[in-house]
Amino acid sequence: MPKRTGPLEMRLWGDPALRRPCRPVAAIDDALRRLALDMLETMYNANGVGLAAPQVGRDERLCVIDVPADAEKEEYVEANAAIPMPLVLVNPEILAREGEQTDEEGCLSFPSIHAPVTRADKVSFTFLDQHGERRTYTAHGLLARAVQHELEHLEGHVFIDNLPDKTPIAQKLDKLEAKTKRRLGL
Ligand code: NI
């Protein structure tokens, strides 16, 4: 395995990188594996359960997920146990969605901003792992939520796009966006 180079800079709301759709990964090589390791380190450092390439300013269709069993809803721990963590997802796609769940959601690119988001309760998804092997799983609960959240990032979408009403967090969003843009000179 390539050596990790350390945590990457987290892109925050207001950074145009979060709105850029990603391009499919053509080759799974050491550079991509290093990026995945760095993204995992960045995610763990920030106590997150998922991180997508745009959040570190990259445009590969790549995200990482690690939902620990003790963070999962009890009824889903067993159902998700067959899915080994952490997940490195290259060119992931959702194949099927089922059911519905609504829960508070956040994002490492939106520090201290949370809102209830309704998503599918169960998703089947397929991707290539860091060795280029095709994997297909069905996830439930928080893990299913994380998969949906991270894959959205790869389209240049973010979790607040799912909110029918952003009013309760509008002030925080505007403040963060303005601060980020000021820092970037935009
Ligand atoms: Ni996110």
Side-chain angles (χ1 to χ4, degrees):
M1 279 301 260
K3 262 191 163 158
R4 44 178 81 185
T5 49
L8 305 164
E9 187 200 340
M10 188 73 66
R11 303 303 184 97
L12 302 180
W13 180 235
D15 191 317
L18 294 174
R19 283 302 193 200
R20 218 179 291 142
C22 293
R23 54 176 179 84
V25 171
I28 299 174
D29 53 15
D30 277 353
L32 190 87
R33 280 185 281 272
R34 181 173 302 113
L35 173 59
L37 283 177
D38 289 344
M39 284 173 58
L40 279 168
E41 187 173 353
T42 307
M43 180 187 82
Y44 291 134
N45 268 5
N47 294 316
V49 297
L51 184 71
Q55 296 181 272
V56 292
R58 303 286 296 240
D59 69 348
E60 291 89 345
R61 281 190 68 84
L62 168 69
C63 53
V64 295
I65 291 176
D66 192 342
V67 174
D70 61 8
E72 188 55 81
K73 297 173 191 167
E74 215 181 315
E75 70 259 41
Y76 293 137
V77 168
E78 209 175 294
N80 286 338
I83 307 176
M85 300 290 163
L87 290 173
V88 172
L89 302 105
V90 180
N91 298 341
E93 302 289 343
I94 289 177
L95 303 172
R97 300 166 193 262
E98 214 182 293
E100 201 179 276
Q101 56 168 320
T102 303
D103 221 330
E104 284 285 296
E105 196 169 310
C107 176
L108 293 178
S109 296
F110 296 75
S112 71
I113 296 177
H114 298 87
V117 180
T118 300
R119 295 191 182 277
D121 200 36
K122 179 177 164 183
V123 292
S124 297
F125 60 107
T126 187
F127 60 98
L128 300 172
D129 69 12
Q130 62 269 43
H131 310 295
E133 298 284 329
R134 163 106 10 224
R135 291 173 183 257
T136 303
Y137 295 121
T138 298
H140 299 72
L142 177 59
L143 181 53
R145 172 176 296 281
V147 168
Q148 293 167 84
H149 177 119
E150 298 315 327
L151 264 68
E152 271 181 5
H153 273 299
L154 305 182
E155 311 299 332
H157 298 160
V158 290
F159 81 110
I160 58 164
D161 297 338
N162 298 297
L163 302 178
D165 177 17
K166 293 193 218 10
T167 314
I169 55 168
Q171 225 177 344
K172 280 183 167 180
L173 286 174
D174 289 348
K175 226 172 129 180
L176 176 58
E177 184 177 1
K179 192 178 164 194
T180 302
K181 286 188 165 161
R182 215 163 37 237
R183 196 167 44 79
L184 295 174
L186 297 173

